[in-house]
Amino acid sequence: QVQLVESGGGLVRPGGSLRLSCVASGFTFSTSDMNWVRQAPGKGLEGVAFISSGGKYTSYADSVKGRFTISRDNAKSTMYLQMNNLKPEDTAVYYCNQGHNRGQGIQVTVSS
């Protein structure tokens, strides 16, 4: 079955950086578009970043553009989200997504 396992979250101060990872299994990762979504406390799901199967195409929410970078390593079936210049409003549970499949989520908290 499809498994998506996120890691790399935690507590960071404003202006800091984190790198999230998502290890995928149970499907052909190299032919699957992937994305990151997040859910802030009391809010709905928000699309954060998208990457095409080969990594050639990426897109970002306006709120993270210029600060976050999505990437993937198809040989390792792993997707990444490099988050720089983090802000308190980036505090959320971040999820790795493949189609209708979603990981368990990882908490990112940005606070001084």
Side-chain angles (χ1 to χ4, degrees):
Q1 73 277 22
V2 172
Q3 281 197 311
L4 301 165
V5 181
E6 301 97 338
S7 63
L11 173 64
V12 64
R13 295 192 176 192
S17 298
L18 284 174
R19 188 196 196 202
L20 303 184
S21 299
C22 169
V23 178
S25 61
F27 64 99
T28 307
F29 182 80
S30 61
T31 61
S32 296
D33 296 338
M34 300 289 295
N35 56 83
W36 288 97
V37 299
R38 66 185 181 186
Q39 186 165 26
K43 296 189 176 181
L45 280 172
E46 175 191 19
V48 175
F50 162 89
I51 187 165
S52 62
S53 58
K56 183 176 181 179
Y57 300 105
T58 60
S59 65
Y60 299 90
D62 287 342
S63 58
V64 308
K65 206 169 290 185
R67 300 187 297 121
F68 290 13
T69 303
I70 190 171
S71 63
R72 64 192 295 161
D73 184 339
N74 284 349
K76 296 181 178 180
S77 295
T78 302
M79 176 176 68
Y80 305 98
L81 186 68
Q82 177 67 43
M83 306 186 293
N84 297 330
N85 190 22
L86 282 159
K87 303 177 180 181
E89 51 264 42
D90 294 318
T91 295
V93 177
Y94 285 71
Y95 298 92
C96 170
N97 249 42
Q98 180 266 331
H100 296 292
N101 299 298
R102 184 169 299 154
Q104 83 285 354
I106 190 85
Q107 178 70 45
V108 170
T109 302
V110 184
S111 175
S112 54

